[in-house]
Amino acid sequence: MDLMKECWTGKINTVTLGATEKEGGTRTSQITVGGETALPFLFKEGDIPHAPVIAMEVLDAEPTDWPEVLKKPFGDALKDPVKWAVKCVEEYKARLICVKLIGTHPDFGNKSAADAAKLVKDILQAVKVPLIILGSGDDEKDNTVLAKASEAAKGEKCLIGDATEKNYKTLAASCLADGHNIIGESPIDINIAKQVNILISEMGFPLDRIVVNPTIGALGYGLEYAYSIMERARNAALLGDKMLSMPFICFVGQEAWRAKEAKATSSEHPEWGDESERGPLWEAQTAVAVLQTGGDILVMRHPKAVEEVRKYIDSLMKKG
Amino acid sequence: MALSGLGIYKLLPKTNCKKCGFPTCLAFAMQLAAKKVSLDKCPDVSQETKKALESASQPPIKLITVGSGDEKLEIGNETVLFRHEEKFYHPTGIGFIIEDTSSEEDIKKALGEINKLDFERVGQRINVNIVGISCESKDASKFQVVVKTVLENTKLALALVSDDASFIAKALEASKERVPLLCGATSANYKEMAKLAKDNKVPLVASAPTLEELETLVKNLNTEGVEDIVLDTGKKSIADKLWDLTQIRRLALKKAFRPFGYPVIAFTQNADKFQEAAEASTYVSKYAGIVMLKNRDPWVVLPILTMRQNIYTDPQKPLQVEAKVYEIGKVEDKSPVIVTTNFSLTYYTVEAEVESSKVPTYIVSCDSEGMSVLTAWAAEKFTAESIAKALESFGIKDKVAHKDLIIPGYVSVLSGKLEEASGWKVTVGPREASGIPVFLRNLTK
Ligand code: SF4
């Protein structure tokens, strides 16, 4: 019997987040993702030089729709994004923080771009790990907010998003000017994913500073769509498609915690068991699926889910 | 692996004698490849050719059935490595092992819990499938008694777990009608196990620590006349198991490697609940035909079953919900009315957001042939007329004392026409379902 080893010709781009003093930033650590020349965790037929990494999510406004199980570990820190970020790094050993500026959304508090920029500066001061910075999803507002946030973090080599097919120019220009990486978002569509990467790169953006957000769904809520889009994209990348050879970022926490099975209490659904375990596991299981299809950066929420997925990644990366 | 017309032609007598009713052997071969005639129309074909064609017409991964009746488990017969290439056909069986040294009371309790791992999601039943009984007592009669207890207390498929054929033989006496999975054959016991499997017409697990040894074992079992086999590569780290599962699937599908043309069973190695769930879901997504678990808490099992449901959904045929009016929460005649499509993902996303808003709401799910809002709108399956017709036929006007309708933000262009066609006052809702809670709460303020 001869084993069937795939000899891929392509390679996922290597993207580095965070600039240390040497690179002109103030981070004390860096995160590198990508570089795979094999399908996820098939170590015997290619390189998987960098383990997938988990970023913990911090919001600039106290979350209103989080269930108790998710709020509890953070306590009062949910009211103070800087404290929240510090807690993630110190207590939960996060190596990457994702600041989501949801509070700048016209419908969720309408904070100003200046507020957002100040917060980014404060967090950069308080924690020394690399940052991911996200807008609120309101195109118009994001164009002013993210421009300011990018400027405030100039030289720190953050990862900023999301650029979309219809709204990428302003963000790409800021990220280029301030030396950041960028997230290209596409709505579970491989052609649009490619198109966004082409558009961004046509502005002179280096391919190895782009990360793709394939917009995943939670376990049980459309997870399989992104699962297959990611598998297709990863196969195409390993076959040599340069415009799909970006690492993936997956917003696992944000999606998983919208699922009824994650949020419902055991008094609402006694047959589903204890929610204090069920919620974090729902998030962890969503993470497992995207890891098996090539997720490189996972943005997550619950400390228990983060810890367990980290363990899972470690056991896989031991390479057997 | 199916042969092409030319491939079949090479095996025919090539005399063009026309006895088959076709002008040439090649013409006959083409019809055979298209499955339009059967081989016996050619009187001169050799025994060898018959055999070759038979094995070529078999599916690359054999369908194996464990159990009998409604709760039988069918695994295997998969055709692709990635679900987007076609689909995955036979969902992974999920099961548990019970040791025969446990007390009768504990066994009954365990089975009660296992039987309850039966849920409904997105309109589909998702449940566990198989109970393994392992002979730890080294006492054949005790094993048999426990097997009987299990038979009486669950309808799920069974697996008999021991590497001692004499124990399995005794258990089979009590359970062979239920077509249990024998677990299993090793290089040391395969002759005895093969005989039991053959005599009782039950499937058999072949266990070997490496792929090479597994190949030898399966060939030996085939020689003994066993064809219903489930493969096992023993205790491994997750990464190594992933490699084995991938190799077995690739070799069976891409190389038509017969010894690996069977489904695979995987036993989780982690006892920790979170890690076990992660391990199990890994095997579910990557090709396992059966995954045997240690933990059976509903919060551990539900996400694994959901993962299976997701992975085994047909990518070509999106799940739909019934087009009708859904009542979310304690609705009354003032409750808002939201309209959406019947694509199940769209519907359930809207439903989840409406639920989280805690505002009782009617959701009118219109028949869009299972397309999402924008796709359906573009394909003219979600139009002013079709929405108006749905409102009328579902009789929503009899349920509420108002005529305010909320439509998805993406189809705001429909507003005017829809007001005309339906007589309802249209409000444009958010584009994304995630905006629903805020929208609904503002509405009722
Ligand atoms: S009967 Fe057989 S040998 Fe004769 S023409 Fe047909 S296929 Fe050829």
Side-chain angles (χ1 to χ4, degrees), chain B residues 337-355:
Chain B
V337 178
I338 288 188
V339 58
T340 188
T341 75
N342 77 328
F343 173 37
S344 74
L345 178 57
T346 303
Y347 171 77
Y348 284 102
T349 311
V350 170
E351 189 202 80
E353 296 297 346
V354 168
E355 253 176 33

PDB file of all heavy atoms in Angstrom, chain B residues 337-355:
ATOM      1  N   VAL B 337     -45.472  41.971  13.171  1.00  0.00           N
ATOM      2  CA  VAL B 337     -45.442  40.910  12.161  1.00  0.00           C
ATOM      3  C   VAL B 337     -44.220  41.133  11.268  1.00  0.00           C
ATOM      4  O   VAL B 337     -44.081  42.191  10.657  1.00  0.00           O
ATOM      5  CB  VAL B 337     -46.716  40.924  11.296  1.00  0.00           C
ATOM      6  CG1 VAL B 337     -46.642  39.839  10.223  1.00  0.00           C
ATOM      7  CG2 VAL B 337     -47.956  40.741  12.160  1.00  0.00           C
ATOM      8  N   ILE B 338     -43.337  40.132  11.235  1.00  0.00           N
ATOM      9  CA  ILE B 338     -42.126  40.214  10.417  1.00  0.00           C
ATOM     10  C   ILE B 338     -42.254  39.218   9.279  1.00  0.00           C
ATOM     11  O   ILE B 338     -42.724  38.100   9.482  1.00  0.00           O
ATOM     12  CB  ILE B 338     -40.881  39.830  11.245  1.00  0.00           C
ATOM     13  CG1 ILE B 338     -40.543  40.932  12.241  1.00  0.00           C
ATOM     14  CG2 ILE B 338     -39.687  39.555  10.359  1.00  0.00           C
ATOM     15  CD1 ILE B 338     -39.214  40.700  12.936  1.00  0.00           C
ATOM     16  N   VAL B 339     -41.823  39.612   8.098  1.00  0.00           N
ATOM     17  CA  VAL B 339     -41.870  38.669   7.004  1.00  0.00           C
ATOM     18  C   VAL B 339     -40.451  38.286   6.581  1.00  0.00           C
ATOM     19  O   VAL B 339     -39.533  39.106   6.618  1.00  0.00           O
ATOM     20  CB  VAL B 339     -42.708  39.228   5.829  1.00  0.00           C
ATOM     21  CG1 VAL B 339     -42.144  40.530   5.332  1.00  0.00           C
ATOM     22  CG2 VAL B 339     -42.814  38.242   4.698  1.00  0.00           C
ATOM     23  N   THR B 340     -40.256  36.998   6.271  1.00  0.00           N
ATOM     24  CA  THR B 340     -38.959  36.553   5.769  1.00  0.00           C
ATOM     25  C   THR B 340     -39.167  35.357   4.834  1.00  0.00           C
ATOM     26  O   THR B 340     -40.299  35.033   4.505  1.00  0.00           O
ATOM     27  CB  THR B 340     -37.981  36.218   6.922  1.00  0.00           C
ATOM     28  OG1 THR B 340     -36.694  35.970   6.366  1.00  0.00           O
ATOM     29  CG2 THR B 340     -38.422  34.972   7.686  1.00  0.00           C
ATOM     30  N   THR B 341     -38.061  34.713   4.426  1.00  0.00           N
ATOM     31  CA  THR B 341     -38.183  33.607   3.472  1.00  0.00           C
ATOM     32  C   THR B 341     -38.262  32.273   4.214  1.00  0.00           C
ATOM     33  O   THR B 341     -38.214  32.243   5.448  1.00  0.00           O
ATOM     34  CB  THR B 341     -36.971  33.548   2.515  1.00  0.00           C
ATOM     35  OG1 THR B 341     -35.861  33.032   3.238  1.00  0.00           O
ATOM     36  CG2 THR B 341     -36.632  34.909   1.964  1.00  0.00           C
ATOM     37  N   ASN B 342     -38.347  31.185   3.478  1.00  0.00           N
ATOM     38  CA  ASN B 342     -38.406  29.875   4.132  1.00  0.00           C
ATOM     39  C   ASN B 342     -37.093  29.101   4.032  1.00  0.00           C
ATOM     40  O   ASN B 342     -37.051  27.916   4.297  1.00  0.00           O
ATOM     41  CB  ASN B 342     -39.568  29.033   3.578  1.00  0.00           C
ATOM     42  CG  ASN B 342     -39.244  28.433   2.224  1.00  0.00           C
ATOM     43  OD1 ASN B 342     -38.509  29.025   1.448  1.00  0.00           O
ATOM     44  ND2 ASN B 342     -39.782  27.256   1.944  1.00  0.00           N
ATOM     45  N   PHE B 343     -36.011  29.776   3.646  1.00  0.00           N
ATOM     46  CA  PHE B 343     -34.678  29.173   3.724  1.00  0.00           C
ATOM     47  C   PHE B 343     -34.391  28.972   5.210  1.00  0.00           C
ATOM     48  O   PHE B 343     -34.461  29.928   5.984  1.00  0.00           O
ATOM     49  CB  PHE B 343     -33.675  30.126   3.090  1.00  0.00           C
ATOM     50  CG  PHE B 343     -32.243  29.719   3.234  1.00  0.00           C
ATOM     51  CD1 PHE B 343     -31.851  28.394   3.168  1.00  0.00           C
ATOM     52  CD2 PHE B 343     -31.264  30.689   3.416  1.00  0.00           C
ATOM     53  CE1 PHE B 343     -30.524  28.031   3.282  1.00  0.00           C
ATOM     54  CE2 PHE B 343     -29.931  30.333   3.527  1.00  0.00           C
ATOM     55  CZ  PHE B 343     -29.563  29.009   3.465  1.00  0.00           C
ATOM     56  N   SER B 344     -34.095  27.745   5.614  1.00  0.00           N
ATOM     57  CA  SER B 344     -34.084  27.488   7.051  1.00  0.00           C
ATOM     58  C   SER B 344     -33.046  28.321   7.789  1.00  0.00           C
ATOM     59  O   SER B 344     -33.282  28.778   8.889  1.00  0.00           O
ATOM     60  CB  SER B 344     -33.919  26.005   7.342  1.00  0.00           C
ATOM     61  OG  SER B 344     -32.612  25.613   7.099  1.00  0.00           O
ATOM     62  N   LEU B 345     -31.897  28.542   7.168  1.00  0.00           N
ATOM     63  CA  LEU B 345     -30.889  29.345   7.856  1.00  0.00           C
ATOM     64  C   LEU B 345     -31.403  30.766   8.076  1.00  0.00           C
ATOM     65  O   LEU B 345     -31.279  31.337   9.162  1.00  0.00           O
ATOM     66  CB  LEU B 345     -29.592  29.357   7.051  1.00  0.00           C
ATOM     67  CG  LEU B 345     -28.475  30.202   7.646  1.00  0.00           C
ATOM     68  CD1 LEU B 345     -28.136  29.757   9.052  1.00  0.00           C
ATOM     69  CD2 LEU B 345     -27.242  30.129   6.769  1.00  0.00           C
ATOM     70  N   THR B 346     -31.991  31.344   7.047  1.00  0.00           N
ATOM     71  CA  THR B 346     -32.564  32.685   7.183  1.00  0.00           C
ATOM     72  C   THR B 346     -33.627  32.679   8.274  1.00  0.00           C
ATOM     73  O   THR B 346     -33.611  33.485   9.194  1.00  0.00           O
ATOM     74  CB  THR B 346     -33.219  33.139   5.855  1.00  0.00           C
ATOM     75  OG1 THR B 346     -32.242  33.095   4.828  1.00  0.00           O
ATOM     76  CG2 THR B 346     -33.774  34.541   5.970  1.00  0.00           C
ATOM     77  N   TYR B 347     -34.543  31.719   8.147  1.00  0.00           N
ATOM     78  CA  TYR B 347     -35.644  31.699   9.098  1.00  0.00           C
ATOM     79  C   TYR B 347     -35.133  31.555  10.531  1.00  0.00           C
ATOM     80  O   TYR B 347     -35.513  32.303  11.422  1.00  0.00           O
ATOM     81  CB  TYR B 347     -36.644  30.574   8.783  1.00  0.00           C
ATOM     82  CG  TYR B 347     -37.627  30.458   9.913  1.00  0.00           C
ATOM     83  CD1 TYR B 347     -38.664  31.393  10.035  1.00  0.00           C
ATOM     84  CD2 TYR B 347     -37.453  29.517  10.920  1.00  0.00           C
ATOM     85  CE1 TYR B 347     -39.514  31.364  11.129  1.00  0.00           C
ATOM     86  CE2 TYR B 347     -38.301  29.479  12.012  1.00  0.00           C
ATOM     87  CZ  TYR B 347     -39.325  30.400  12.117  1.00  0.00           C
ATOM     88  OH  TYR B 347     -40.144  30.392  13.202  1.00  0.00           O
ATOM     89  N   TYR B 348     -34.231  30.575  10.766  1.00  0.00           N
ATOM     90  CA  TYR B 348     -33.790  30.336  12.139  1.00  0.00           C
ATOM     91  C   TYR B 348     -32.923  31.475  12.677  1.00  0.00           C
ATOM     92  O   TYR B 348     -32.879  31.717  13.866  1.00  0.00           O
ATOM     93  CB  TYR B 348     -33.089  28.983  12.266  1.00  0.00           C
ATOM     94  CG  TYR B 348     -34.076  27.849  12.253  1.00  0.00           C
ATOM     95  CD1 TYR B 348     -34.273  27.081  11.111  1.00  0.00           C
ATOM     96  CD2 TYR B 348     -34.878  27.584  13.360  1.00  0.00           C
ATOM     97  CE1 TYR B 348     -35.216  26.067  11.088  1.00  0.00           C
ATOM     98  CE2 TYR B 348     -35.821  26.575  13.346  1.00  0.00           C
ATOM     99  CZ  TYR B 348     -35.989  25.806  12.201  1.00  0.00           C
ATOM    100  OH  TYR B 348     -36.930  24.817  12.174  1.00  0.00           O
ATOM    101  N   THR B 349     -32.217  32.168  11.789  1.00  0.00           N
ATOM    102  CA  THR B 349     -31.449  33.327  12.237  1.00  0.00           C
ATOM    103  C   THR B 349     -32.407  34.412  12.702  1.00  0.00           C
ATOM    104  O   THR B 349     -32.237  35.009  13.767  1.00  0.00           O
ATOM    105  CB  THR B 349     -30.562  33.854  11.086  1.00  0.00           C
ATOM    106  OG1 THR B 349     -29.856  32.756  10.530  1.00  0.00           O
ATOM    107  CG2 THR B 349     -29.575  34.872  11.593  1.00  0.00           C
ATOM    108  N   VAL B 350     -33.430  34.664  11.896  1.00  0.00           N
ATOM    109  CA  VAL B 350     -34.437  35.656  12.280  1.00  0.00           C
ATOM    110  C   VAL B 350     -35.109  35.227  13.582  1.00  0.00           C
ATOM    111  O   VAL B 350     -35.244  36.006  14.524  1.00  0.00           O
ATOM    112  CB  VAL B 350     -35.485  35.823  11.147  1.00  0.00           C
ATOM    113  CG1 VAL B 350     -36.666  36.668  11.619  1.00  0.00           C
ATOM    114  CG2 VAL B 350     -34.841  36.459   9.926  1.00  0.00           C
ATOM    115  N   GLU B 351     -35.455  33.943  13.638  1.00  0.00           N
ATOM    116  CA  GLU B 351     -36.140  33.450  14.835  1.00  0.00           C
ATOM    117  C   GLU B 351     -35.279  33.645  16.085  1.00  0.00           C
ATOM    118  O   GLU B 351     -35.772  34.100  17.116  1.00  0.00           O
ATOM    119  CB  GLU B 351     -36.477  31.965  14.675  1.00  0.00           C
ATOM    120  CG  GLU B 351     -37.378  31.443  15.782  1.00  0.00           C
ATOM    121  CD  GLU B 351     -37.294  29.931  15.947  1.00  0.00           C
ATOM    122  OE1 GLU B 351     -36.340  29.459  16.584  1.00  0.00           O
ATOM    123  OE2 GLU B 351     -38.183  29.246  15.439  1.00  0.00           O
ATOM    124  N   ALA B 352     -33.980  33.334  15.977  1.00  0.00           N
ATOM    125  CA  ALA B 352     -33.098  33.459  17.132  1.00  0.00           C
ATOM    126  C   ALA B 352     -33.023  34.913  17.591  1.00  0.00           C
ATOM    127  O   ALA B 352     -33.028  35.211  18.788  1.00  0.00           O
ATOM    128  CB  ALA B 352     -31.711  32.927  16.800  1.00  0.00           C
ATOM    129  N   GLU B 353     -32.968  35.836  16.636  1.00  0.00           N
ATOM    130  CA  GLU B 353     -32.874  37.262  16.996  1.00  0.00           C
ATOM    131  C   GLU B 353     -34.184  37.760  17.595  1.00  0.00           C
ATOM    132  O   GLU B 353     -34.183  38.552  18.530  1.00  0.00           O
ATOM    133  CB  GLU B 353     -32.491  38.096  15.772  1.00  0.00           C
ATOM    134  CG  GLU B 353     -31.095  37.781  15.220  1.00  0.00           C
ATOM    135  CD  GLU B 353     -29.962  38.089  16.188  1.00  0.00           C
ATOM    136  OE1 GLU B 353     -30.203  38.792  17.196  1.00  0.00           O
ATOM    137  OE2 GLU B 353     -28.830  37.627  15.939  1.00  0.00           O
ATOM    138  N   VAL B 354     -35.293  37.297  17.031  1.00  0.00           N
ATOM    139  CA  VAL B 354     -36.587  37.694  17.584  1.00  0.00           C
ATOM    140  C   VAL B 354     -36.690  37.172  19.017  1.00  0.00           C
ATOM    141  O   VAL B 354     -37.075  37.901  19.932  1.00  0.00           O
ATOM    142  CB  VAL B 354     -37.748  37.146  16.725  1.00  0.00           C
ATOM    143  CG1 VAL B 354     -39.076  37.307  17.449  1.00  0.00           C
ATOM    144  CG2 VAL B 354     -37.784  37.849  15.380  1.00  0.00           C
ATOM    145  N   GLU B 355     -36.276  35.929  19.211  1.00  0.00           N
ATOM    146  CA  GLU B 355     -36.317  35.372  20.553  1.00  0.00           C
ATOM    147  C   GLU B 355     -35.466  36.181  21.506  1.00  0.00           C
ATOM    148  O   GLU B 355     -35.871  36.484  22.617  1.00  0.00           O
ATOM    149  CB  GLU B 355     -35.809  33.931  20.523  1.00  0.00           C
ATOM    150  CG  GLU B 355     -36.934  32.952  20.701  1.00  0.00           C
ATOM    151  CD  GLU B 355     -36.458  31.512  20.577  1.00  0.00           C
ATOM    152  OE1 GLU B 355     -35.320  31.204  20.952  1.00  0.00           O
ATOM    153  OE2 GLU B 355     -37.267  30.711  20.070  1.00  0.00           O
TER     154      GLU B 355
END
